[in-house]
Amino acid sequence: MQPLSDNDCVPQADALDFEAELAAHPHDAWFKQVFSQVPNARALFRQHLPAEIVVAVDWDQLQLLPASFVRSTLQQSHSDLLFSVPSGADSLLLYLLFEHQTTVEPAMPLRLLGYMTEIWTRHEKERGLPLPPILPLVLHQGPERWTVSTSFENLLAQDAALAAHLRPFQPSFRHLLLDLTQHKPATEEPDETLRIVLHLMKLARDKQRLLEFFTWLDQTTLHITHDLFRSCLLYALHSDQNIDFMDIYHTFHQRKELQNTTMTIAQKLRNEGHQEGHQKGRPEGRQEGRQEGRQEGHQEGHQKGRQEGVWMGRLQTLQEIMGLLVDSDAALADLPVEELRRRFEALQAQYNLRHK
């Protein structure tokens, strides 16, 4: 469990093909993409760990450790990252667990105890004693408020007569918690990147509010890099497949550079989606092809000013992805909306049987 060198400290999600991971597990992939980047993790820890700990460690030496302790059966609801940072003459391990299931986990302290035990066991085998202290931080995405205890002792049956006598023989710890349902990243995060990332994560679990993120971004003066904006777009699209590029495009009024970037990325993804979908049949190619259909359909619908354009675009794109003869605009122009929808849904059912 040696720490990564500066040259090796590459975001894990990049090595695993971020876009493919997004298609399967959007929240997990986004978490790893963002927080395996040491500057982002450093900003998170410095803002949300106890002040006494923050001032006692050398944050310039924070390192990502190449280890995960979440079982494969839990990866759709939990993700984790482990970091090491010097604290005086010793090291402190920072264990960041991302909890993104739809319900709160009452047994979280027990789960954390298992992970912490695995970390210590591995450390003892590789380096011996003493063991480094571990500080567990749970990042909770919601959508429900975290209402259960963060203390391990509260999971134990409490016999009033014996509690005081048993306490010295039981594990005793609590975990730190950042509950995004109660946090206001847009106003409470001093780091600009963290403000953008956590605000999107907060809204991503509520599909009715996801477009609010892009409206908010349009109205802020925050600097956002092309790569981060691209990641935000992809995460939003995979979090809610009913949202599309044109919906996002039309939210930008104040910041034309974001509007232009949205269309540039849309075009690039459409090209990649068709190329990947035809040449390799990869799931991300097919998914992006569907996004292309939505985008093209909306664009055509806006230009024509009628719903027929939406369903024509979707139907034609799906036909192309499936390698079928694509109906011309003239062949579809006189069909009513319901017939276009019926044809698209029938073809989509064939697509799902073939690829799912």
Side-chain angles (χ1 to χ4, degrees), residues 229-273:
F229 185 57
R230 184 179 189 276
S231 294
C232 288
L233 279 174
L234 291 172
Y235 177 46
L237 289 163
H238 286 288
S239 296
D240 180 7
Q241 295 186 13
N242 290 320
I243 194 174
D244 62 38
F245 281 106
M246 292 308 296
D247 291 332
I248 296 170
Y249 175 86
H250 287 291
T251 64
F252 294 121
H253 303 289
Q254 309 298 326
R255 302 181 65 171
K256 294 300 182 183
E257 77 279 7
L258 297 184
Q259 195 174 57
N260 294 336
T261 301
T262 299
M263 293 309 298
T264 299
I265 294 173
Q267 182 62 48
K268 185 174 186 296
L269 289 179
R270 287 203 307 273
N271 293 339
E272 290 176 353

Side-chain angles (χ1 to χ4, degrees), residues 217-331:
L217 191 61
D218 175 55
Q219 296 171 351
T220 70
T221 58
L222 295 175
H223 172 70
I224 182 169
T225 65
H226 178 274
D227 287 343
L228 178 57
F229 185 57
R230 184 179 189 276
S231 294
C232 288
L233 279 174
L234 291 172
Y235 177 46
L237 289 163
H238 286 288
S239 296
D240 180 7
Q241 295 186 13
N242 290 320
I243 194 174
D244 62 38
F245 281 106
M246 292 308 296
D247 291 332
I248 296 170
Y249 175 86
H250 287 291
T251 64
F252 294 121
H253 303 289
Q254 309 298 326
R255 302 181 65 171
K256 294 300 182 183
E257 77 279 7
L258 297 184
Q259 195 174 57
N260 294 336
T261 301
T262 299
M263 293 309 298
T264 299
I265 294 173
Q267 182 62 48
K268 185 174 186 296
L269 289 179
R270 287 203 307 273
N271 293 339
E272 290 176 353
H274 275 302
Q275 185 176 9
E276 295 284 357
H278 285 303
Q279 293 180 355
K280 296 183 180 179
R282 290 170 59 184
E284 63 268 34
R286 295 193 296 270
Q287 179 61 40
E288 287 168 359
R290 287 199 294 271
Q291 291 170 357
E292 173 187 0
R294 291 200 300 270
Q295 193 274 337
E296 288 180 345
H298 272 281
Q299 187 175 22
E300 187 172 355
H302 284 298
Q303 291 171 350
K304 290 188 173 184
R306 64 187 192 203
Q307 280 190 314
E308 285 88 340
V310 176
W311 292 104
M312 284 173 60
R314 293 179 178 179
L315 178 60
Q316 289 167 330
T317 299
L318 189 53
Q319 287 172 334
E320 184 175 351
I321 290 173
M322 294 177 68
L324 303 176
L325 181 65
V326 178
D327 289 325
S328 67
D329 290 348

